[in-house]
């Protein structure tokens, strides 16, 4: 069944991964089980996958969320097919998924950005100093990536409260 496939997936692929890996897999596969039921994986058809996609769209999930959910479901089923040498196809493999037609989010207004930067400089801890470096065209992920790429000997400390 799909739930058995999920258990196998988490036991094989979830080793040495963050808890979020398996919890996301459980959530995403749980959506399939909620909508289509917990069945043997070879009984899910392309029509089932299309119905599942439409169900997610009706729930107002974003195209990127739908894509992420399908990616997990495909991976769970593909692993089971491979590990068990099954002679079946993955019904979720070639399902058409909607694309994101929304406009990109607008940039932060310049006056708001300057206010954020001033506040960060006033607080003056490492995280806020990094945020203060942001300009109106660069996002923090881009800055962080550049710092990491240009500083290979940088030792990262992870704070876990």
């Amino acid at each position: 069944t799909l739930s058995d496939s999920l258990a196998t997936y988490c036991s094989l692929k979830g080793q040495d991964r963050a808890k979020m890996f398996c919890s996301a897999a459980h959530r995403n596969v749980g959506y399939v089980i909620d909508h289509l039921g917990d069945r043997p994986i070879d009984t899910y058809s392309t029509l089932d996958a299309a119905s599942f996609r439409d169900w997610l769209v009706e729930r107002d999930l974003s195209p990127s969320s739908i894509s992420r959910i399908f990616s997990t479901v495909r991976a769970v089923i593909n692993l089971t097919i491979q590990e068990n040498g099954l002679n079946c196809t993955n019904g979720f493999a070639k399902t058409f998924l909607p694309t994101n037609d929304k406009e990109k989010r607008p940039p932060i207004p310049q006056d708001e950005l300057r206010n954020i930067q001033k506040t960060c400089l006033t607080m003056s801890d490492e995280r806020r100093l990094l945020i203060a470096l942001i300009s109106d065209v660069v996002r923090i992920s881009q800055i962080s990536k550049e710092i990491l790429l240009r500083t290979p000997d940088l030792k990262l400390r992870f704070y876990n409260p």
Side-chain angles (χ1 to χ4, degrees), residues 60-72:
D60 287 330
L61 271 73
S62 71
S64 61
S65 293
I66 293 170
S67 179
R68 193 168 36 255
I69 291 166
F70 263 79
S71 180
T72 301

Side-chain angles (χ1 to χ4, degrees), residues 6-157:
L6 174 61
T8 301
Y9 181 79
C10 284
S11 70
L12 293 176
K13 294 273 190 168
Q15 299 292 331
D16 301 323
R17 300 247 184 145
K19 290 179 188 176
M20 188 81 169
F21 178 82
C22 283
S23 63
H26 279 276
R27 181 179 54 250
N28 295 341
V29 170
Y31 292 146
V32 176
I33 293 170
D34 287 347
H35 181 65
L36 299 171
D38 189 14
R39 308 187 324 228
I41 61 166
D42 62 342
T43 64
Y44 292 105
S45 69
T46 55
L47 289 173
D48 290 326
S51 170
F52 179 60
R53 175 207 52 220
D54 296 342
W55 182 74
L56 293 173
V57 169
E58 287 171 11
R59 293 185 64 188
D60 287 330
L61 271 73
S62 71
S64 61
S65 293
I66 293 170
S67 179
R68 193 168 36 255
I69 291 166
F70 263 79
S71 180
T72 301
V73 172
R74 287 174 180 147
V76 168
I77 293 174
N78 284 338
L79 182 71
T80 300
I81 291 170
Q82 287 178 328
E83 285 292 310
N84 296 308
L86 301 177
N87 189 18
C88 64
T89 57
N90 185 341
F92 293 84
K94 296 182 181 179
T95 307
F96 172 80
L97 298 177
T99 56
N100 198 353
D101 293 336
K102 293 182 183 177
E103 288 183 30
K104 290 188 176 183
R105 64 180 165 189
I108 299 172
Q110 196 68 26
D111 58 332
E112 263 187 68
L113 186 63
R114 296 290 172 235
N115 200 14
I116 291 168
Q117 288 171 331
K118 283 180 190 174
T119 303
C120 289
L121 287 171
T122 302
M123 297 180 93
S124 191
D125 63 9
E126 288 177 3
R127 289 182 181 165
R128 285 168 190 83
L129 287 173
L130 182 60
I131 293 170
L133 292 172
I134 302 172
S135 71
D136 54 330
V137 291
V138 180
R139 291 187 179 164
I140 193 159
S141 61
Q142 292 169 318
I143 291 173
S144 300
K145 183 178 176 183
E146 285 299 315
I147 290 171
L148 292 173
L149 289 176
R150 293 172 191 239
T151 318
D153 59 338
L154 180 69
K155 300 283 190 247
L156 297 176
R157 291 176 294 151

